[in-house]
Each structure stands twice: as C-alpha cells, then as structure tokens.
C-alpha cells in the first residue's frame, strides 16, 4: 500500500515542471553574425526575466542541417524554433512568400507597409501550419552579380546565370525574362564560378561578400530582382505548452529585438554596396524606360507563382495595397532603382 | 653671413642628433623585439597577459622612429594577433576585433617591405594571386600574420562588409604561406585552414572533412605537442561535426599534457589548457 502511494507520489512529482525546458533553436546563420547576436540577446533577456525558466539552446551555422531538415526536426519535436529564409518559409507556409515575389517592392518602406498591413494574415498562415511568428528577419534586396555589364532586361539573356535549384521565385523571374538559368545547389556556386560553368549569380550584397561570390564577379545590376524575407518561428506546440505570462514575454521580447535586426541588416547591405563599389565593382545604370519594363515583367512573374506559393486573392490584395500606398505617399511616378 | 652658418650648424646638429637617435632606436628595437621569445616561453598566462600591453606599447613607440623596421613590425603583428586571440577573443570580442585590425595594419606594412606585396590589401583576385606568386620565404611572417589578423577581424565583424571581404583575401594569402613554409608556427597554416573549412558555412565553401585533414596535418607537424592545435580542432571540427566524444577526448588530452613539452611555445600551450578547460565546461551548450 505504502509503496504504491510512494510510486504515485513520485510519478506526480516527476511529471511536475520542476526544471526549465529550453527552446532548441536552429539557424544557418553562424556564430558572431547579427542574427546570432540578436537571438542571444533575446535569450539573455528571457532568462533574466524568468529567473532562468525560459531560454534558448542554440544550434548555429547549420549544425542541425539545412532549412528543410530544420523544419522536419521541428515537426518531430526534436527542435522547437528556427531562424528561416524563404526556403524554410516556403516549406512551412508558402503563402507568405508573396513577400519575396519578383519586382514587387521598390524600397524598404514598402516592405514595412505590407508587413504591417498583412500582419494578421501572415500570423494566421503560420499558425495554421503549426508555427508562431516571433519576428521578420529579412535578407534584403537581391541583386544580380555578373561578369558582363547588364543594362537592360535583354542583356540578362546572354548570361550563364545560376539558379538555386528548386527556387520558385528565381524560376518565375527568369521565365518572365526569357532567361535560361543553370540550376545548381548553393554549395556548388563557388566552384562553378571558378570553372565558368556559370558567370552570374544573385544574392543580397552582404551575403554575396560573405559567400565570396563578389571576388568572382565584376558588375552589379542596379535593379534588384526581389526582396528576400526571413523569419524566426517557434513551434506552436512548444509555444502553447508555455505558461501564459511566458508566452507573452517571448512574443514581446522577440518582437523588440528582431525589429532592430531588420534595421541592422538594411544598413549592412547598404554599406556592402558602397564597399563593393569602392573596391572596383561596377554598378550598371538603367534608363527609366527599362526600369518601367519591370512593371509588366513583375506582374507576369508574380502570376506564375499563383497556386504554387500563394493565392491570386492574396497577391491582388498585396498589389492593391502597395498601389494605394504609393499613391498616398506620393511615390515617384517612375519606379526608382535600388533600394535605399 | 652668420645666419646661414648658424642654420647649417643647427641643421648638422639636428642631423647628427637624429642619426644618433636612429641608431639608438635600432639597437633598442633589436633588444626589445628579441624579447619576443621570452614572452613565447612564459609559463604563466596571467603574467603574460599583463606584460603584453606594455611591451606592445613600447614597440609601437619605437616604431615611430623606425617605421620600416622588420623586427618591430613582426613583433607587433605577432603580439597583437596573439593578445587578441589568447586573451580577448572569448570574453571581449569587440576589443579583440579592434586588436586584429591593428595587427593587420602592422602585418601589411611588414609584407609591403617587399614592394611586390604592397597592394595585397586592395588588389583584385587575379592581381592578388600574381603578387603572391612572387612572394618568397622571407615574406612569410608578414603574410602569415596578415592572414590571421584578417580572418580574426572578419570572424568578429560578420556584419561589416569591409571585414568580411578580408576572409577571401586571408585564404589566398595563407594558401601561399602553406606552400612556402607549412611548418611556420608549428603548423599554423594548416591550423588556419582547419578553422577556415570548419567555421565557414557549406554554402560559403565550408567543408568539415577538409578542415579535419588540415588539423590532422598540423598535429602531425608538432607531433601533437602544440596543444592549441588540439583545442581548435575540438572547438571547430568536433563542434561542426557534432562529435562530442572527439571534443571531450581532444580537450582532455590537452589538460593531461605537459605544457613544457614545447618550450618555445610554452605560453600558447598554457593558454591552450585554459581554453580546453573552458570548452569542456561548455560541452552541454555545444552538443
């Protein structure tokens, strides 16, 4: 009898949440990047405010595999959170990749406008797929780096341009341009630039430097193809298991720090472009007419992705909201090149 | 009449004073930079940590009067990289970042004493490779410390495009050092590539298997006596490969080894032991 009681008692005690469980967080961003530092700052603040009851355990630099592996491990419960780029977001909630749609945004203010306007939609998209949004962490505007100058869309057809295999955004953009890219894994890009299998790549400026692609290219085309988004997501299952006060704290602290990260990334990309130019990289100019041609190209490319990533309804609403924003903010009638 | 003569005299005096000073500076520079081995052989890391700033400041002072003295430039490059790596990087990364940058300045000046290497910080990749092809054995210290300083700076300033661009330059420079003198600093060039291939993400050219081969090559060069190679092997390869058993084994070997086995690198070996201990304490965070 007594030993039975004891067994029940110890079972109850063992089941009680006596010790804090850490949220296992993975990202491709390596140690020492701003993304890693900001997540560590979130962790420090959470631990301080919960006496160590809530915090993260970090797997940086792709130590848990690529983003598809990370998503799979979160679904299996081996991880509870991740910092994702479009690749991972596409695995989870393809609709939100409307943020990555080709030639959609002209500058970062427009990006912020859409994120704010569609915040509830995007959060619901993530939640339906079992994830909670902690904050957006964009990669930045995506430029084309080439070895011959590109001044007009037609010049792109002469390039041996890389395409990240399975990247629907680039695929639709290249299709609209009538460009035939060479699909390769991102890990093969450096060697393929060296062997001249490809002569052009696309990336946000800071990443192009970090990936050492800018040593192997000479020109930057002044018209970004898209703005690459990213986000920090937490498994809804893990989130729901937290006490209410910790849920709120996690959302608040996360949002506060991650909005700083976005501002930092934008500043770094701006500095990266300046530094590349200072070191002899040539940024090609485009005429206003050529820039305008991207309006039609963009519409065509974005339609390509309807049904594959997002619905026509969502795309229409986003484009309409942007048009209204441009009209209201008195944006220049002709589209402007380069994101500021 | 008198004035020109006076002026000439003043001039002569100034010149001789100047040359006396130059001779003195050169002699002092020789003595002070010859003190570097004493630091390398120091068994007490805390004593070295406290002594280094004074020593480096003195060398910087002497350098003002002998700006092209190779011994001073070499001691300063090595000293600032060593100070940043051994004593700052783990606890004060921002200061370490600035010290690496300072080391880079001296190392580039040292390398530039060979005119062929004067533009290695700005040359485009093709020109950089052409310049490096002309480098000789005597250029190794400048190139070696420049590569380490560049990589150290880039590693601690990942959001800074100027710093990041240095990683690819560092790699080209160290590849040349590896060809010229693979045994420099107890296999330092192989240690560099061990870290390089393990720390970089795969998409940027990272390849832990290649990194492992370089760490093994470095260890073979010092017959396992240069303990820092093991610590870095654990910290970069074992962590990247999620190999906890190897991580523990390497660090425990460092703790069990005698720092006296390699007297010329006593200080680095003692610091390696401190780092191994700290790494073992972090095992649960890392795996």
């Amino acid at each position: 009898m007594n030993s039975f009681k004891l067994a029940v008692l110890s079972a109850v005690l063992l089941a009680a949440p006596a010790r804090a469980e850490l949220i296992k967080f993975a990202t491709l961003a390596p140690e020492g990047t701003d993304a890693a530092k900001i997540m560590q700052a979130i962790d420090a603040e959470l631990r301080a405010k919960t006496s160590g009851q809530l915090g993260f355990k970090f797997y940086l630099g792709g130590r848990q595999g690529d983003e598809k592996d990370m998503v799979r491990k979160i679904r299996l419960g081996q991880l509870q959170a991740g910092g994702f780029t479009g690749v991972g977001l596409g695995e989870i909630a393809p609709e939100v990749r409307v943020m990555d749609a080709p030639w959609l945004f002209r500058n970062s203010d427009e990006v912020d406008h859409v994120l704010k306007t569609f915040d509830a939609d995007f959060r619901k998209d993530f939640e339906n797929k079992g994830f909670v949004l902690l904050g957006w962490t964009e990669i930045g505007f995506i430029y084309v780096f080439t070895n011959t100058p590109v001044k007009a869309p037609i010049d792109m057809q002469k390039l041996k341009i890389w395409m990240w295999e399975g990247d629907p955004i680039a695929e639709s953009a290249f299709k609209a341009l009538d460009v035939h890219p060479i699909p390769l894994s991102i890990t093969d890009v450096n060697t393929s630039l060296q062997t001249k299998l490809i002569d052009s790549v696309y990336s946000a400026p800071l990443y192009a430097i970090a990936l050492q692609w800018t040593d192997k290219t000479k020109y930057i085309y002044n018209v970004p193809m898209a703005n690459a988004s990213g986000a920090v997501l937490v498994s809804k299952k893990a989130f729901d298991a937290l006490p209410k006060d910790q849920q709120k704290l996690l959302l608040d602290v996360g949002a506060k720090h991650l909005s700083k990260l976005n501002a930092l990334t934008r500043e770094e990309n701006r500095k990266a472009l300046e530094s590349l130019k200072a070191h002899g990289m040539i940024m090609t100019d485009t005429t206003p007419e050529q820039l305008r041609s991207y309006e039609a190209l963009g519409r065509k490319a974005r339609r390509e992705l309807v049904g594959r990533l997002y619905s026509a309804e969502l795309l229409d609403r986003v484009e309409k909201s942007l048009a209204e924003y441009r009209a209201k903010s008195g944006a220049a009638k002709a589209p402007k090149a380069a994101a500021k | 009449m008198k004035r020109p003569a006076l002026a000439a005299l003043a001039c002569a005096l100034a010149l001789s004073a100047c040359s006396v000073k130059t001779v003195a500076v050169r002699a002092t520079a020789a003595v002070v930079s010859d003190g570097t081995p004493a630091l390398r052989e120091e068994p007490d890391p805390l004593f070295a940590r406290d002594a280094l700033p004074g020593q480096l400041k003195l060398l910087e002072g002497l350098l003002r009067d002998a700006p092209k003295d190779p011994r001073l430039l070499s001691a300063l490059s090595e000293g600032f990289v060593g100070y940043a790596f051994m004593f700052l990087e783990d606890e004060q990364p921002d200061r370490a970042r600035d010290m690496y940058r300072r080391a880079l300045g001296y190392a580039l000046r040292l390398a530039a004493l060979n005119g062929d290497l004067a533009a290695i910080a700005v040359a485009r990749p093709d020109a950089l490779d052409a310049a490096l092809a002309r480098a000789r054995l005597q250029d190794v210290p400048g190139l070696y410390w420049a590569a380490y300083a560049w990589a150290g700076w880039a590693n601690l300033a990942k959001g800074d495009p100027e710093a990041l661009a240095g990683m690819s330059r560092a790699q080209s420079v160290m590849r040349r050092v590896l060809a010229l003198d693979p045994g420099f600093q107890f296999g330092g060039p192989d240690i560099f590539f061990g870290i390089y291939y393990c720390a970089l993400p795969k998409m940027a050219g990272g390849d832990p298997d290649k990194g492992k081969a370089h760490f093994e090559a470095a260890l073979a060069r010092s017959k396992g006596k240069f303990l820092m190679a093991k610590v870095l092997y654990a910290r970069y390869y074992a962590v990247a490969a999620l190999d906890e058993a190897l991580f523990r084994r390497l660090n425990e070997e460092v703790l069990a080894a005698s720092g006296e086995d390699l007297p010329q690198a006593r200080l680095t070996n003692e610091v390696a032991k401190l780092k191994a201990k700290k790494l073992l304490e972090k095992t649960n965070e890392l795996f």
Side-chain angles (χ1 to χ4, degrees):
Chain A
M1 220 27 191
N2 264 346
S3 67
F4 175 70
K5 266 187 191 164
L6 197 66
V8 170
L9 186 66
S10 56
V12 168
L13 281 175
L14 283 173
R19 197 170 60 87
E21 274 302 322
L22 295 178
I23 301 170
K24 291 182 179 168
F25 171 90
T27 175
L28 296 184
E31 180 82 47
T33 51
D34 289 322
K37 285 187 202 161
I38 293 272
M39 287 308 301
Q40 284 155 347
I42 295 175
D43 173 59
E45 187 169 339
L46 291 175
R47 284 176 196 245
K49 289 190 170 160
T50 59
S51 322
Q53 290 296 298
L54 182 60
F56 285 102
K57 175 163 182 170
F58 293 105
Y59 298 89
L60 303 173
R63 287 174 64 224
Q64 290 285 353
D66 64 20
E67 294 197 357
K68 289 186 183 181
D69 297 326
M70 283 155 51
V71 173
R72 187 173 47 80
K73 288 181 181 178
I74 292 177
R75 287 188 176 137
L76 289 171
Q78 293 165 359
L79 293 172
Q80 289 82 42
F84 294 103
T85 67
V87 178
L89 298 184
E91 285 287 301
I92 293 165
E95 310 84 73
V96 305
R97 293 209 75 191
V98 74
M99 290 304 298
D100 294 353
W103 300 295
L104 180 62
F105 297 111
R106 293 174 192 167
N107 56 53
S108 301
D109 290 342
E110 295 187 355
V111 175
D112 290 341
H113 165 76
V114 171
L115 283 181
K116 207 171 124 201
T117 314
F118 292 84
D119 185 63
D121 296 70
F122 294 145
R123 281 183 192 275
K124 201 156 32 137
D125 287 332
F126 286 127
E127 284 207 18
N128 288 340
K129 301 293 165 70
F131 286 83
V132 174
L133 172 70
L134 221 53
W136 294 95
T137 54
E138 73 179 29
I139 308 295
F141 278 93
I142 300 298
Y143 288 79
V144 177
F145 294 80
T146 66
N147 275 291
T148 46
V150 171
K151 294 187 171 175
I154 195 147
D155 295 334
M156 299 270 283
Q157 293 172 7
K158 288 176 260 173
L159 305 175
K160 289 194 280 182
I161 192 163
W162 163 68
M163 186 187 89
W164 195 345
E165 52 184 8
D167 175 1
I169 303 284
E171 200 182 311
S172 69
F174 289 142
K175 197 171 169 195
L177 289 165
D178 206 13
V179 163
H180 300 280
I182 297 160
L184 292 169
S185 146
I186 192 166
T187 47
D188 293 331
V189 170
N190 265 309
T191 350
S192 306
L193 278 170
Q194 267 155 355
T195 59
K196 309 224 186 311
L197 172 66
I198 52 174
D199 61 14
S200 309
V201 293
Y202 56 90
S203 169
L206 187 70
Y207 282 72
I209 296 176
L211 294 169
Q212 305 190 5
W213 295 351
T214 48
D215 310 332
K216 301 169 191 88
T217 47
K218 294 186 184 119
Y219 299 90
I220 312 174
Y221 183 31
N222 200 12
V223 184
M225 287 210 301
N227 183 59
S229 64
V232 173
L233 303 174
V234 180
S235 136
K236 189 168 183 315
K237 204 173 147 198
F239 183 85
D240 289 344
L242 296 173
K244 281 275 176 280
D245 56 331
Q246 289 190 6
Q247 289 180 357
K248 186 179 178 320
L249 187 71
L250 179 60
L251 288 178
D252 291 350
V253 174
K256 182 179 81 180
H257 288 273
L258 291 173
S259 69
K260 271 189 269 174
L261 177 60
N262 251 0
L264 266 175
T265 306
R266 287 171 184 177
E267 174 63 10
E268 285 164 1
N269 274 318
R270 191 189 60 73
K271 276 200 261 170
L273 280 180
E274 267 176 25
S275 157
L276 286 171
K277 283 192 267 182
H279 285 97
M281 196 127 196
I282 297 161
M283 191 165 225
T284 53
D285 273 331
T286 318
T287 63
E289 297 80 62
Q290 277 152 4
L291 267 178
R292 249 193 300 279
S293 67
Y294 283 99
E295 303 240 304
L297 284 168
R299 270 194 300 275
K300 190 175 157 195
R302 294 193 290 270
R303 293 290 131 185
E304 252 328 289
L305 295 165
V306 164
R308 192 165 166 196
L309 295 181
Y310 41 74
S311 66
E313 186 259 335
L314 178 64
L315 177 63
D316 287 341
R317 281 168 58 214
V318 168
E319 285 180 345
K320 190 162 164 266
S321 167
L322 262 178
E324 284 164 9
Y325 177 77
R326 281 170 191 162
K328 204 166 64 186
S329 63
K333 288 201 178 66
K336 267 201 183 142
K340 284 233 174 96
Chain B
M1 271 297 261
K2 267 185 182 174
R3 272 190 188 178
L6 263 179
L9 184 65
C11 212
L13 274 173
L15 275 174
S16 71
C18 178
S19 64
V20 166
K21 192 176 174 194
T22 307
V23 170
V25 164
R26 287 208 181 120
T28 319
V31 171
V32 175
S33 49
D34 283 352
T36 309
L39 263 169
R40 292 193 196 117
E41 291 160 22
E42 172 57 46
D44 180 344
L46 286 181
F47 184 75
R49 192 188 69 186
D50 293 344
L52 255 167
Q55 165 104 347
L56 291 172
K57 214 51 227 170
L58 177 61
L59 290 169
E60 280 189 324
L62 291 166
L63 189 73
R64 290 193 182 181
D65 291 306
K68 291 190 169 180
D69 188 295
R71 290 159 308 186
L72 288 177
L73 287 168
S74 181
L76 280 164
S77 309
E78 178 181 351
F80 275 106
V81 168
Y83 188 62
F85 170 71
M86 288 190 286
F87 302 121
L88 292 179
E89 201 171 281
D90 298 336
E91 271 92 36
Q92 296 175 276
D94 288 354
R95 283 189 68 212
R97 179 196 62 207
D98 295 345
M99 295 296 171
Y100 278 126
R101 212 173 165 178
R102 203 146 144 189
L104 176 62
Y106 294 126
L108 287 174
R109 280 167 66 180
L110 178 60
L113 295 179
N114 173 354
D116 285 338
L117 302 174
I120 57 170
V122 290
R124 289 284 294 167
D126 293 349
L128 175 64
D129 288 341
L132 288 171
R134 289 193 290 273
R136 287 154 302 169
L137 196 60
Q138 72 232 45
D139 299 316
V140 161
L143 294 176
Y144 179 88
W145 295 117
Y148 256 109
W150 249 321
W153 177 31
N155 187 41
L156 295 173
K158 291 204 171 85
D160 177 348
E162 291 284 334
L164 272 185
M167 194 55 105
S168 133
R169 244 170 239 286
Q171 183 263 137
S172 302
V173 168
M174 195 59 98
R175 213 164 282 291
R176 183 65 181 138
V177 175
L178 184 64
L180 285 168
D181 190 2
F184 191 69
Q185 291 285 319
F186 315 99
D190 273 311
I191 298 176
F192 176 96
F193 283 109
I195 300 172
Y196 179 84
Y197 284 118
C198 293
L200 276 187
K202 275 195 186 132
M203 59 179 82
D207 183 342
D209 289 341
K210 267 193 199 173
K212 183 182 187 196
H214 280 289
F215 279 124
E216 291 289 346
L219 281 177
R221 280 183 202 288
S222 73
K223 300 192 175 62
K225 287 181 184 169
F226 189 60
L227 302 179
M228 194 59 86
K230 284 191 182 178
V231 173
L232 294 166
Y233 192 0
R235 174 171 162 192
Y236 288 96
Y237 174 76
V239 169
L242 284 172
D243 189 341
E244 185 177 343
L246 177 68
F247 179 84
R248 286 183 186 276
R249 178 173 70 76
L250 288 166
N251 283 315
E252 277 157 12
E253 279 174 16
V254 170
L255 289 181
S258 159
E260 289 171 68
D261 286 352
L262 200 63
Q264 323 86 288
R266 181 74 193 269
L267 174 60
T268 317
N269 272 354
E270 295 298 338
V271 173
K273 284 167 167 285
L274 296 179
K275 288 196 185 245
K277 189 162 171 278
K278 276 194 201 148
L279 279 175
L280 280 173
E281 284 163 6
K282 276 175 69 180
T283 307
N284 285 337
E285 278 174 56
L286 292 167
F287 295 93

